[in-house]
């Protein structure tokens, strides 16, 4: 199980400076195995080039912390606001997402200079009288924002390398999660009124707030994730050819994309191979299924005569099973909790405006930075997306 907490920072100036440096350095470490050419590639609209992630996370601190709060601060390059703004309408115009891969300039070396400049200025700011109590929540948001992009870096790098015809390895490291294909045990929960949502000390995103009561009927939830072997059985039973298990929109997706398997699976000379961060390898049947979308997860559950859990069921049950290796699809639409209010200004664009046409995922993944997971975390993606480290937990 992932550590069920997020980063905690005392009010000590040194603690803030150390945590800032630790998190910022981790982004650079993720990119160490890359070649320069890898930094620029954008194979699909949902994948951003690694150098864009490095620039965008730096822009966040420059734009939201330094410019408005550090007197005398000079921006590194005025054009970078246009280049590295992601979706903040409040901040102004920006490069459209599909064009991020066309940014041969600024160069990778320019972006590392940008990071160095902003980090030096942030170090001065964090040790100055300008770091007030009012700014600390925004600083903490910035650090968690960088950790979110660290996970996106890992998933985007895998997509970039996994769509290179040579299937190069990112680095040789253990990333697998074994889910031995023994019988799944279903954990039973009685009907009743439960509470979900974040409470207590530490950081949370605004979409987790508003702890509230939910009524749940009797339900059962699996004690482990679905394995590759179990998903392969679904495929071999004609799961991608049987419309009965698919949502209508999902069935349209299957036909339009001629879908036949999870992302990164390749049938070569009659043998299923799987691209991993260690390169192309023979499919490990005992590994937890990964890189499937909501349509596929729902279809598999239907084929098994079960369903996906709701996010409330998942959270209530989460202390009774191991989680943290895959983002787990739930059958819950991404909607605001009772009493949710968007913050004023650009920060209010962080989560609230995405609460439509997306489904909630719970847990964490092998790409989630340590200290960035908790059982109230509400991840969310569109139903067709599968490049994240997503998996399946069954319910009934």
């Amino acid at each position: 199980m992932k550590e069920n907490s997020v980063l905690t920072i005392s009010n000590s100036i040194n603690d803030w400076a150390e945590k800032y440096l630790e998190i910022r350095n981790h982004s650079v470490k993720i990119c160490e195995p890359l070649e320069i050419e890898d930094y620029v590639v954008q194979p699909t609209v949902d994948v951003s080039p690694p150098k864009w992630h490095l620039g965008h996370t730096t822009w966040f601190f420059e734009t939201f912390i330094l410019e408005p709060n550090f007197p005398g601060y000079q921006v590194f390059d005025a054009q970078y606001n246009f280049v590295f703004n992601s979706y903040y309408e409040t901040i102004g115009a920006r490069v459209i997402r599909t064009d991020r891969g066309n940014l041969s300039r600024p160069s990778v070396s320019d972006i590392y200079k940008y990071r160095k400049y902003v980090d030096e200025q942030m170090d001065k700011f964090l040790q100055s009288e300008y770091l007030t109590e009012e700014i600390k929540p925004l600083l903490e948001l910035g650090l968690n924002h960088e950790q979110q992009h660290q996970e996106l870096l890992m998933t985007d790098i895998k997509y970039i390398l996994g769509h290179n015809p040579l299937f190069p390895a990112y680095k040789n490291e253990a990333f697998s999660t074994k889910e031995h294909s023994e019988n799944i045990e279903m954990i039973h929960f009685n009907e009743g009124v439960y509470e979900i949502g974040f409470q207590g000390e530490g950081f949370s995103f605004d979409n987790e707030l508003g702890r509230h009561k939910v009524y749940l009927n009797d339900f059962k939830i699996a004690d482990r994730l679905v394995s590759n072997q179990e998903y392969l059985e679904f495929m071999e039973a004609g799961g991608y050819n049987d419309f009965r298990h698919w949502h209508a929109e999902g069935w349209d997706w299957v036909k339009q994309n001629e879908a036949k398997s999870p992302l990164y699976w390749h049938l070569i000379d009659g043998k299923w191979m799987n691209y991993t961060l260690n390169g192309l390898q023979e499919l490990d049947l005992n590994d937890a299924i990964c890189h499937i979308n909501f349509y596929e997860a729902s279809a598999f559950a239907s084929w098994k005569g079960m369903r996906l859990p709701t996010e409330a069921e998942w959270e209530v049950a989460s202390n009774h099973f191991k989680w943290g290796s895959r983002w787990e699809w739930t059958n819950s639409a991404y909607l605001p909790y009772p009493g949710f209010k968007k913050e004023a200004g650009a920060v209010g664009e962080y989560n609230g405006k995405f609460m439509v046409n997306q489904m909630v995922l719970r847990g964490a993944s092998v790409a989630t930075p340590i200290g960035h997971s908790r059982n109230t975390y509400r991840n969310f993606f569109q139903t067709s997306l599968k490049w994240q480290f997503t998996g399946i937990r069954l319910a009934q």
Side-chain angles (χ1 to χ4, degrees), residues 50-165:
K51 77 169 188 178
W52 186 88
H53 286 291
L54 295 176
H56 168 71
T57 50
T58 304
W59 167 87
F60 189 98
F61 289 106
E62 180 176 64
T63 302
F64 294 110
I65 302 292
L66 292 173
E67 280 195 77
N69 300 300
F70 200 21
Y73 177 77
Q74 298 293 315
V75 298
F76 182 81
D77 189 317
Q79 291 184 313
Y80 283 12
N81 188 65
F82 176 70
V83 173
F84 294 120
N85 181 5
S86 53
Y87 54 72
Y88 296 94
E89 300 288 348
T90 308
I91 303 301
R94 60 195 179 278
V95 172
I96 61 173
R97 184 168 185 167
T98 52
D99 281 351
R100 291 173 185 171
N102 295 332
L103 293 167
S104 60
R105 304 293 174 91
S107 66
V108 174
S109 61
D110 286 337
I111 291 173
Y112 274 113
K113 290 174 185 175
Y114 180 39
R115 286 184 72 90
K116 183 175 184 293
Y117 174 80
V118 169
D119 287 347
E120 288 173 348
Q121 296 299 311
M122 280 295 298
D123 182 64
K124 295 176 183 177
F125 173 79
L126 293 174
Q127 300 187 55
S128 74
E129 69 273 18
Y130 299 110
L131 176 59
T132 64
E133 291 300 319
E134 291 74 23
I135 296 173
K136 287 178 181 178
L138 184 58
L139 175 58
E140 197 167 33
L141 176 64
L143 295 174
N144 279 272
H145 168 259
E146 178 117 6
Q147 289 184 307
Q148 285 184 312
H149 277 271
Q150 288 166 356
E151 180 152 10
L152 287 169
L153 259 174
M154 291 297 300
T155 53
D156 289 358
I157 288 169
K158 183 173 183 180
Y159 195 96
I160 289 166
L161 299 181
H163 285 77
N164 183 305

Side-chain angles (χ1 to χ4, degrees), residues 101 119 232 286:
D119 287 347
L232 184 58
N286 290 322

Side-chain angles (χ1 to χ4, degrees), residues 376-389:
T376 60
Y377 199 119
R378 304 178 74 202
N379 204 351
F380 52 92
F381 284 107
Q382 289 96 351
T383 46
S384 63
L385 299 180
K386 55 197 296 184
W387 96 110
Q388 290 292 312
F389 289 79

Side-chain angles (χ1 to χ4, degrees), residues 321-339:
F321 53 72
K322 184 179 180 181
W323 57 270
S325 65
R326 302 285 185 266
W327 284 107
E328 305 178 24
W329 286 106
T330 74
N331 206 33
S332 294
Y334 180 48
L335 296 171
Y337 280 171

Side-chain angles (χ1 to χ4, degrees), residues 90-313:
T90 308
I91 303 301
R94 60 195 179 278
V95 172
I96 61 173
R97 184 168 185 167
T98 52
D99 281 351
R100 291 173 185 171
N102 295 332
L103 293 167
S104 60
R105 304 293 174 91
S107 66
V108 174
S109 61
D110 286 337
I111 291 173
Y112 274 113
K113 290 174 185 175
Y114 180 39
R115 286 184 72 90
K116 183 175 184 293
Y117 174 80
V118 169
D119 287 347
E120 288 173 348
Q121 296 299 311
M122 280 295 298
D123 182 64
K124 295 176 183 177
F125 173 79
L126 293 174
Q127 300 187 55
S128 74
E129 69 273 18
Y130 299 110
L131 176 59
T132 64
E133 291 300 319
E134 291 74 23
I135 296 173
K136 287 178 181 178
L138 184 58
L139 175 58
E140 197 167 33
L141 176 64
L143 295 174
N144 279 272
H145 168 259
E146 178 117 6
Q147 289 184 307
Q148 285 184 312
H149 277 271
Q150 288 166 356
E151 180 152 10
L152 287 169
L153 259 174
M154 291 297 300
T155 53
D156 289 358
I157 288 169
K158 183 173 183 180
Y159 195 96
I160 289 166
L161 299 181
H163 285 77
N164 183 305
L166 300 178
F167 297 119
Y170 167 66
K171 61 180 178 179
N172 293 318
E173 193 171 298
F175 290 100
S176 66
T177 300
K178 304 297 183 183
E179 295 291 342
H180 297 292
S181 298
E182 302 167 352
N183 291 332
I184 290 179
E185 298 293 331
M186 303 300 292
I187 308 169
H188 177 260
F189 290 84
N190 293 322
E191 67 173 327
V193 176
Y194 298 87
E195 288 193 355
I196 64 169
F198 183 83
Q199 69 175 358
E201 300 296 322
F203 174 84
S204 68
F205 289 109
D206 57 1
N207 62 2
E208 303 170 57
L209 297 174
R211 188 167 177 83
H212 60 285
K213 293 180 173 60
V214 292
Y215 175 81
L216 299 178
N217 289 314
D218 274 26
F219 72 95
K220 295 179 181 178
I221 191 167
D223 66 338
R224 65 166 175 83
L225 299 172
V226 170
S227 69
N228 285 336
Q229 177 174 314
E230 290 162 327
Y231 198 85
L232 184 58
E233 291 169 359
F234 164 71
M235 292 164 53
E236 292 175 340
Y240 281 91
N241 300 312
D242 190 343
F243 71 90
R244 295 175 300 169
H245 300 304
W246 298 81
H247 291 96
E249 190 176 287
W251 186 239
D252 288 342
W253 173 83
V254 169
K255 292 185 292 183
Q256 291 168 7
N257 294 277
E258 299 182 347
K260 300 182 184 301
S261 65
L263 183 63
Y264 302 123
W265 285 29
H266 303 275
L267 188 60
I268 301 175
D269 296 331
K271 180 182 298 185
W272 280 107
M273 305 294 288
N274 181 28
Y275 178 78
T276 72
L277 289 168
N278 296 324
L280 191 64
Q281 300 182 344
E282 186 173 348
L283 182 67
D284 185 341
L285 296 177
N286 290 322
D287 203 359
I289 185 67
C290 197
H291 299 297
I292 55 160
N293 62 28
F294 175 79
Y295 302 139
E296 293 168 304
S298 295
F300 176 86
S302 173
W303 176 74
K304 292 291 287 186
M306 298 190 193
R307 60 177 175 83
L308 301 178
T310 66
E311 67 166 322
E313 290 171 338

Side-chain angles (χ1 to χ4, degrees), residues 358-384:
Q358 314 222 37
M359 301 300 285
V360 174
L361 300 99
R362 288 304 196 100
S365 83
V366 293
T368 306
I370 294 173
H372 190 67
S373 59
R374 53 196 171 276
N375 68 347
T376 60
Y377 199 119
R378 304 178 74 202
N379 204 351
F380 52 92
F381 284 107
Q382 289 96 351
T383 46
S384 63

